[in-house]
Amino acid sequence: MEASEEKTEKPSSGVSAAQRRAELRRRKLLMNSEDRMNRIVGFAKNDSDNSGNIVIVRLEPRFHLDLDRTQPWSSSSPSPRPSELPGASLEDEMGGLRQRAKLERGDDLSGSPRRSLQQYLSRFDDAMKLRSQLANDKQAQDGGSDSEELDPFRIFRLIGSVLLAVFVRVFVCKYLSIFAPFLTLELAYMGLSKYFPKVEKKTQTTVLTAALLLSGIPAEVISRSMDTYRRMGDVFSDLCVYFFTFIISHEIVLLIASEAP
Amino acid sequence: MGEIPGRQSPDAGSSNLSSSSASLRCSTAGTPRRRLLNMAWFLVLSSVFLCNLMKTLLPSISSFLTKMVQKDAEQESEMRAEIHQMKKEQSSISMMDEFARYARLERKINKTTDKLKTHVQSRTAQQAKMKWVVNIVFYILQAAVMISLIWKYYSDPVTVVPPKWIAPVERLVAFPTGVAGGVGITCWLVVCNKVVTLGLSAIS
């Protein structure tokens, strides 16, 4: 009788034990959501024993992202806040001191983990976007030619440089250096640039610009530097065309002079 | 190039060079042969022009070589035509009425498409390899040409003008010859490269 009663009690107690275990597991999962998130984002954490003698050491700033949390913060927080410390009783002096020091450090960092994570995620998104832009620009460069674009003002500059070089060779070079008229021409171009339609040049994403963007340099600074670099490139192009035309015209003049009787 | 009388070596004093450059032009200008010999600037210019022209034609050259090397190029067009034909036939069949035939055609199309994809992948890989080889060969040749030009005209200027014309940067322009009033190979190479690039980009 008793055995049968025990047998009948066992299944019911087994069911209830199974239910109890399931309930415990569910609670454990809900309580440890923060630990799981920390493990996912890679924060190191040494769990302490429940006895309270061993101090919880948090090496990285605490990060809490619990979307399905049902219980309040303080009940499941593995380490107490510093505000709770004065009221807490310290069973072991050494452990308590260590705990206080580490908690203070954790509290200082508690304001920044979310910001740092957001900053990291935003930088990661930027890196992914720049990578796709780089791939697109590289495809465009492979598909098209790698030549420089010639807008009307640029063509005007080059023609002006050619004409000035010929003029300087014929009339001016005997009296002064050939670079003096060139500098005057460049100054004139600076003034004339506003009278020409401005062509918006699409900034190409290169590895250099991507690296500069990711290193924290503002995009405005990068675009201004690129613009300055482009202007210097234009002046260099003008100089090369000017000098080339000068030398060619000089050689042609010599050739004509030598062939003349 | 033979030694041109009147042209002094860079070791001579620079004080004599300004007068010698003018006399050099006078002495060489009268003789056509010497004039031709003195067309170093033209040689450098034409070399740079040819190199840049070849650079713009590299994709065409690599695709031409790929077509020459590839033996089964017709197979791909045949497969495409076959797939097109089968798709056309499949579109004329009603799936409800002749499902077996439709499914058979579908399988054939899929099989031929897979074969075509494999073929295209291998052709693309071959093309990329050929492009890479052509680029490497071109850049080696270009480097060889440039180095030989620099070696040849390291101490001789490609052309000479009166030094005061190119003041105050006569030393920079004359680098590495050291000849006052001379245009060094490096400066001329940079200038020619820039001008030829601009010219070719304007043409293309």
Side-chain angles (χ1 to χ4, degrees):
Chain A
M1 221 27 202
E2 291 177 352
S4 63
E5 281 179 357
E6 281 176 5
K7 277 184 189 174
T8 53
E9 278 175 5
K10 268 184 187 174
S12 61
S13 63
V15 168
S16 61
Q19 277 180 349
R20 224 181 297 124
R21 280 199 297 274
E23 184 62 31
L24 277 171
R25 271 201 300 275
R26 196 177 72 80
R27 275 191 205 157
K28 192 180 171 187
L29 281 170
L30 286 173
M31 276 165 41
N32 289 338
S33 62
E34 189 188 342
D35 295 341
R36 264 207 312 287
M37 186 49 68
N38 287 341
R39 280 201 295 277
I40 288 168
V41 298
F43 286 139
K45 174 186 176 296
N46 296 333
D47 284 330
S48 66
D49 201 356
N50 288 331
S51 63
N53 288 331
I54 301 169
V55 176
I56 294 169
V57 176
R58 198 171 275 281
L59 300 176
E60 295 289 337
R62 246 168 54 184
F63 172 71
H64 176 68
L65 180 67
D66 189 5
L67 300 175
D68 296 327
R69 195 174 188 82
T70 54
Q71 294 180 9
W73 250 82
S74 55
S75 60
S76 64
S77 58
S79 58
R81 294 173 182 270
S83 57
E84 298 172 3
L85 278 176
S89 59
L90 299 175
E91 295 180 7
D92 193 10
E93 291 181 359
M94 284 178 64
L97 283 170
R98 249 187 294 150
Q99 191 176 11
R100 184 178 287 177
K102 280 173 182 150
L103 283 169
E104 281 174 1
R105 193 175 62 191
D107 193 53
D108 289 340
L109 298 170
S110 64
S112 63
R114 194 166 292 172
R115 272 204 303 273
S116 59
L117 180 68
Q118 283 173 357
Q119 200 177 12
Y120 170 77
L121 289 172
S122 66
R123 288 278 171 90
F124 187 74
D125 288 337
D126 289 342
M128 289 292 110
K129 282 177 199 167
L130 285 168
R131 198 179 95 168
S132 60
Q133 273 182 15
L134 266 171
N136 290 339
D137 282 348
K138 195 180 173 187
Q139 279 177 8
Q141 276 179 11
D142 286 343
S145 63
D146 202 8
S147 59
E148 303 166 14
E149 293 175 7
L150 293 172
D151 54 317
F153 185 53
R154 196 125 187 251
I155 295 171
F156 173 73
R157 287 171 77 121
L158 295 173
I159 292 172
S161 302
V162 167
L163 292 173
L164 181 70
V166 174
F167 178 79
V168 164
R169 173 60 190 89
V170 175
F171 299 112
V172 179
C173 61
K174 293 168 196 167
Y175 307 108
L176 75 164
S177 168
I178 65 173
F179 296 112
F182 174 76
L183 290 172
T184 312
L185 182 71
E186 288 301 314
L187 286 171
Y189 284 154
M190 280 183 205
L192 287 172
S193 63
K194 57 186 174 187
Y195 296 109
F196 280 82
K198 202 170 181 182
V199 176
E200 287 294 328
K201 291 186 182 178
K202 186 190 165 192
T203 309
Q204 278 185 342
T205 306
T206 59
V207 176
L208 177 65
T209 52
L212 289 171
L213 277 169
L214 289 171
S215 63
I217 297 174
E220 180 72 23
V221 171
I222 293 172
S223 66
R224 279 191 190 167
S225 304
M226 298 286 282
D227 193 39
T228 307
Y229 181 73
R230 203 178 295 122
R231 284 173 197 266
M232 284 166 62
D234 289 345
V235 172
F236 181 70
S237 303
D238 294 342
L239 179 63
C240 288
V241 168
Y242 177 81
F243 189 69
F244 178 83
T245 312
F246 180 84
I247 296 293
I248 295 291
S249 53
H250 174 66
E251 294 295 329
I252 291 172
V253 164
L254 283 178
L255 193 69
I256 294 169
S258 66
E259 284 183 354
Chain B
M1 276 196 183
E3 198 67 32
I4 299 168
R7 177 173 281 191
Q8 297 181 3
S9 64
D11 296 335
S14 59
S15 57
N16 293 331
L17 291 174
S18 56
S19 55
S20 70
S21 60
S23 62
L24 170 66
R25 302 311 291 175
C26 293
S27 65
T28 56
T31 53
R33 185 167 173 274
R34 297 235 166 93
R35 198 167 53 243
L36 278 171
L37 288 173
N38 217 14
M39 298 274 271
W41 60 272
F42 183 72
L43 176 67
V44 175
L45 173 63
S46 50
S47 305
V48 169
F49 177 75
L50 282 171
C51 286
N52 278 281
L53 190 66
M54 288 287 288
K55 197 174 177 181
T56 55
L57 295 174
L58 273 181
S60 317
I61 292 169
S62 59
S63 61
F64 175 73
L65 287 172
T66 309
K67 279 177 191 169
M68 274 180 60
V69 168
Q70 221 171 9
K71 290 168 191 173
D72 51 355
E74 293 176 357
Q75 199 181 2
E76 190 181 322
S77 56
E78 281 173 11
M79 278 194 278
R80 284 187 198 274
E82 197 182 330
I83 290 169
H84 181 70
Q85 186 63 33
M86 283 194 285
K87 278 188 175 170
K88 205 173 164 184
E89 194 184 334
Q90 195 187 39
S91 62
S92 65
I93 298 169
S94 166
M95 198 170 94
M96 302 295 187
D97 298 337
E98 295 176 273
F99 179 74
R101 192 177 158 203
Y102 188 92
R104 222 178 299 127
L105 264 175
E106 182 78 24
R107 276 198 298 272
K108 271 188 191 170
I109 288 170
N110 290 342
K111 191 179 168 188
T112 316
T113 308
D114 289 341
K115 237 167 90 178
L116 178 66
K117 269 186 196 168
T118 315
H119 195 268
V120 166
Q121 272 175 6
S122 70
R123 181 176 59 83
T124 311
Q126 204 176 17
Q127 248 178 359
K129 198 177 169 186
M130 180 60 70
K131 189 179 169 185
W132 184 75
V133 166
V134 166
N135 278 348
I136 295 281
V137 167
F138 167 74
Y139 284 123
I140 288 172
L141 283 174
Q142 189 185 27
V145 165
M146 293 299 141
I147 288 170
S148 61
L149 282 173
I150 291 171
W151 185 270
K152 187 177 172 65
Y153 295 108
Y154 186 82
S155 54
D156 294 329
V158 294
T159 187
V160 181
V161 295
K164 69 169 187 177
W165 286 8
I166 51 174
V169 293
E170 63 266 23
R171 283 182 185 273
L172 184 67
V173 171
F175 181 82
T177 62
V179 174
V183 178
I185 182 71
T186 48
C187 174
W188 189 240
L189 270 175
V190 167
V191 167
C192 287
N193 203 25
K194 190 70 182 175
V195 170
V196 167
T197 307
L198 281 170
L200 286 176
S201 68
I203 291 168
S204 64

